[in-house]
Amino acid sequence: MTEIAPVEQRRSGRPRSEDADRAIIEATLDLLAESGIAGTTIEGVAARAGVGKTTVYRRWKGLESLICDAVAELKGPLPTLPGTSIRDDMLALFEAAARGRESARNRKVYACFIGEMTRYPALDAQYRSAVIAPRRALTQAALQRAIERGELRDDIDLDVMAEIVTAPTLHWMLHNPDRIPTREQLEQFLDGVLHGVARPTR
């Protein structure tokens, strides 16, 4: 079966220095882990990365865009779903969601970011639009295909079903910011939920 590849958006503009980009992103993540959103500034990032403030501003419109891109880097690109079953598709999505939590620094970034971002409406809105929305759309597309294949019930709203299927895994990661879920845990979360939304056999 043909794999389902997500559509990735590319930043517009002229080519950039990969070394400078990486240094700025890493500096931003370091500061987020050490000082949270409130303690992360363009000046601090530039100093940590060893670049001028103008170098940062040439690449990002402002601090919100920089922080959003830095945290998005931890998640990596959208996964390619196998399209073989809803279980396989959701496991691919969950494993991608757990990615980036391998180091203590990255887990601190996730913990502070999730805990603080609601106090920064512009950053919250940008993160939801740039990072959460594409992943939610990919989840809903996988669920819709599973409904069409007869794997899932067709009497539940897609938004509601997406919440039902993803909630246990996301809840666990939110409340265990210093831990990494194992594949066995991800399978147990998913299998427990899928029994409730599977199409009944007659």
Side-chain angles (χ1 to χ4, degrees), residues 9-12 16 21-22 24-26 28-29 32 56 59-77 109-110 113 123 126-131 135:
Q9 291 184 337
R10 296 180 179 272
R11 292 192 195 119
S12 60
R16 305 170 177 178
D21 282 0
R22 176 49 49 192
I24 293 167
I25 290 292
E26 290 298 319
T28 304
L29 293 172
L32 285 171
V56 179
R59 290 159 165 74
W60 286 274
K61 293 183 292 185
L63 185 60
E64 289 86 0
S65 296
L66 173 56
I67 290 176
C68 184
D69 279 358
V71 177
E73 279 283 312
L74 297 184
K75 288 187 171 291
V109 170
Y110 276 124
F113 187 74
L123 175 59
Q126 187 167 343
Y127 185 76
R128 289 179 184 280
S129 174
V131 179
R135 286 160 175 77

Side-chain angles (χ1 to χ4, degrees), residues 146-167:
I147 291 171
E148 293 167 0
R149 289 194 299 263
E151 291 182 87
L152 301 180
R153 293 165 52 179
D154 60 3
D155 60 339
I156 301 178
D157 180 82
L158 268 184
D159 283 329
V160 174
M161 188 178 288
E163 293 290 343
I164 293 171
V165 172
T166 60

Side-chain angles (χ1 to χ4, degrees), residues 14-142:
R14 63 185 179 181
R16 305 170 177 178
S17 163
E18 292 289 338
D19 290 342
D21 282 0
R22 176 49 49 192
I24 293 167
I25 290 292
E26 290 298 319
T28 304
L29 293 172
D30 286 345
L31 288 174
L32 285 171
E34 293 168 11
S35 307
I37 296 173
T40 301
T41 64
I42 293 292
E43 291 79 5
V45 169
R48 178 71 65 96
V51 301
K53 287 193 297 181
T54 54
T55 301
V56 179
Y57 281 117
R58 278 200 302 268
R59 290 159 165 74
W60 286 274
K61 293 183 292 185
L63 185 60
E64 289 86 0
S65 296
L66 173 56
I67 290 176
C68 184
D69 279 358
V71 177
E73 279 283 312
L74 297 184
K75 288 187 171 291
L78 292 172
T80 296
L81 305 186
T84 48
S85 70
I86 188 57
R87 188 178 190 275
D88 292 343
D89 285 352
M90 294 310 301
L91 274 176
L93 282 162
F94 289 166
E95 288 178 330
R99 228 169 270 141
R101 298 167 66 96
E102 292 84 0
S103 73
R105 182 203 68 172
N106 291 357
R107 292 194 293 273
K108 286 181 181 178
V109 170
Y110 276 124
C112 86
F113 187 74
I114 297 302
E116 294 181 37
M117 73 174 186
T118 54
R119 298 204 296 268
Y120 301 87
L123 175 59
D124 186 30
Q126 187 167 343
Y127 185 76
R128 289 179 184 280
S129 174
V131 179
I132 295 178
R135 286 160 175 77
R136 189 173 184 82
L138 193 59
T139 299
Q140 290 181 331

